[in-house]
């Protein structure tokens, strides 16, 4: 068959690939597959939701995946939505609850390890500036009004004008935009630029202490000067090439060649479907 795979076909194939322990690290490290599975958790088709949950459950069996899965944007929130949705079948809710508890436990372990590491660093008298400060950071925005391709183009134009924006990707299904920016650029600058369109309103999505997510609105009375790009766009070069990372993730699949090909196919399908 040479036709385009549909959503159910893709999620079922990802589920089957995730069932093989040799594939689990590559799927989680791939830039498109894990975010795609999260979006499938909000799909109106209950069969797709359940298949996506099975895939996520397989991936969570690999302990090395749990930290990244817990921190993946929308994962814990989508699992909560499945658990709380009145139309979700009982078996689906139980599976979502099981995954949520596994990942939440991993999040607590991560926080404890981070606190111990921070205490250790504070005890050190000297440190290298370059090893403790990153050149870029990631900001997650929830954008009200991000409903169609024309609004997406309007948001792109606003972001491209900002000096210090490295890259951005859209999650149209949940009205979000993940932006990579220079470490010295304030998130409020992004909010000011997007809100200036008059038809889009941005809020920052941050992780709460309990592992959930909260949306923080940008202060309307805060004046932020937006430094515009007039030279070669600052968002083009980036030390970490997404395409190279994806290639590395695919080559690490330890299963059969068909699995590698399907992982690539699934990532391409998700990329076309969700504007990544």
């Amino acid at each position: 068959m040479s036709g385009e795979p549909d959503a159910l076909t893709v999620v079922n194939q990802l589920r089957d690939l995730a069932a093989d322990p040799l594939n689990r690290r590559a799927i989680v490290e791939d830039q498109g597959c894990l975010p795609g599975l999260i979006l499938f958790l909000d799909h109106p088709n209950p069969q797709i939701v359940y298949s996506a949950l099975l895939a996520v459950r397989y991936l969570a069996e690999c302990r090395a995946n749990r930290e990244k899965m817990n921190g993946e944007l929308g994962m814990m929130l989508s699992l909560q939505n499945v658990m709380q949705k009145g139309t979700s079948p009982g078996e689906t809710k139980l599976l979502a609850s099981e995954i949520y508890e596994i990942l939440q436990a991993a999040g607590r372990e991560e926080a404890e390890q981070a606190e111990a590491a921070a205490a250790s660093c504070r005890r050190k008298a000297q440190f290298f500036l370059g090893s403790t400060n990153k050149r870029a950071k990631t900001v997650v925005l929830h954008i009200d009004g991000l409903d169609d391709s024309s609004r997406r183009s309007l948001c792109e134009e606003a972001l491209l004008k900002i000096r210090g924006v490295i890259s951005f990707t859209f999650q149209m299904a949940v009205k979000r935009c993940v932006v990579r920016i220079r470490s010295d650029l304030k998130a409020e600058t992004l909010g000011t630029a997007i809100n200036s369109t008059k038809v889009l309103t941005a809020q920052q999505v941050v992780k709460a202490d309990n592992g959930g997510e909260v949306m923080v609105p940008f202060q309307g009375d805060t004046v932020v000067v937006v430094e515009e790009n007039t030279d070669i766009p600052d968002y083009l070069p980036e030390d970490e090439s997404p395409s190279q990372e994806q290639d590395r993730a695919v080559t690490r699949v330890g299963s059969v060649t068909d699995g590698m090909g399907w992982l690539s196919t699934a990532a391409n399908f998700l990329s076309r479907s969700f504007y990544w």
Side-chain angles (χ1 to χ4, degrees), residues 1-225:
M1 295 177 63
S2 59
E4 174 82 6
D6 59 18
L8 183 59
T9 301
V10 170
V11 74
N12 283 344
Q13 188 64 34
L14 281 173
R15 177 201 62 200
D16 294 343
L17 288 172
D20 185 343
L22 295 177
N23 291 333
R24 291 170 186 167
R25 286 292 289 162
I27 292 174
V28 169
E29 292 174 6
D30 184 271
Q31 285 196 323
C33 290
L34 187 58
L37 282 172
I38 293 172
L39 291 181
F40 280 139
L41 295 179
D42 297 319
H43 201 281
N45 185 336
Q47 188 177 359
I48 290 177
V49 173
Y50 189 72
S51 189
L53 282 172
L54 286 174
V56 174
R57 180 62 182 87
Y58 283 134
L59 297 177
E61 288 183 9
C62 176
R63 296 184 64 88
N65 285 342
R66 294 176 186 175
E67 180 180 333
K68 178 175 176 58
M69 292 174 68
N70 174 270
E72 187 70 27
L73 179 66
M75 173 65 79
M76 305 302 283
L77 179 62
S78 294
L79 289 172
Q80 286 179 324
N81 289 340
V82 174
M83 293 158 53
Q84 297 169 2
K85 189 179 298 183
T87 57
S88 296
E91 187 174 325
T92 298
K93 289 183 178 181
L94 286 174
L95 183 56
S97 177
E98 179 185 353
I99 298 169
Y100 185 88
E101 290 176 4
I102 292 173
L103 298 185
Q104 193 174 47
R108 287 194 295 267
E109 291 177 6
E110 177 190 359
E112 292 171 359
Q113 292 173 0
E115 184 176 351
S120 175
C121 288
R122 286 193 294 268
R123 288 193 296 268
K124 294 181 180 179
Q126 297 179 349
F127 59 91
F128 291 101
L129 182 64
S131 63
T132 57
N133 289 272
K134 295 184 177 180
R135 296 171 54 190
K137 61 185 178 181
T138 300
V139 176
V140 181
L141 303 174
H142 178 86
I143 305 175
D144 290 323
L146 191 65
D147 301 319
D148 51 39
S149 58
S150 63
R151 295 288 178 87
R152 175 174 175 264
S153 297
L154 193 62
C155 186
E156 286 178 348
E157 292 175 5
L159 292 174
L160 292 177
K161 291 179 181 178
I162 304 174
R163 178 175 293 277
V165 170
I166 299 171
S167 65
F168 49 83
T169 56
F170 289 94
Q171 299 176 352
M172 297 294 289
V174 290
K175 299 183 180 181
R176 290 188 177 184
C177 182
V178 181
V179 191
R180 286 273 290 172
I181 61 176
R182 286 195 322 236
S183 58
D184 60 345
L185 182 65
K186 294 182 178 180
E188 288 80 1
T189 305
L190 306 178
T192 298
I194 293 174
N195 294 345
S196 68
T197 64
K198 306 300 183 184
V199 295
L200 300 173
T201 304
Q203 300 179 80
Q204 186 174 1
V205 181
V206 298
K207 293 276 287 186
D209 294 337
N210 61 2
E213 297 176 356
V214 294
M215 288 188 286
V216 181
F218 295 106
Q219 297 297 326
D221 56 353
T222 302
V223 179
V224 179
V225 178

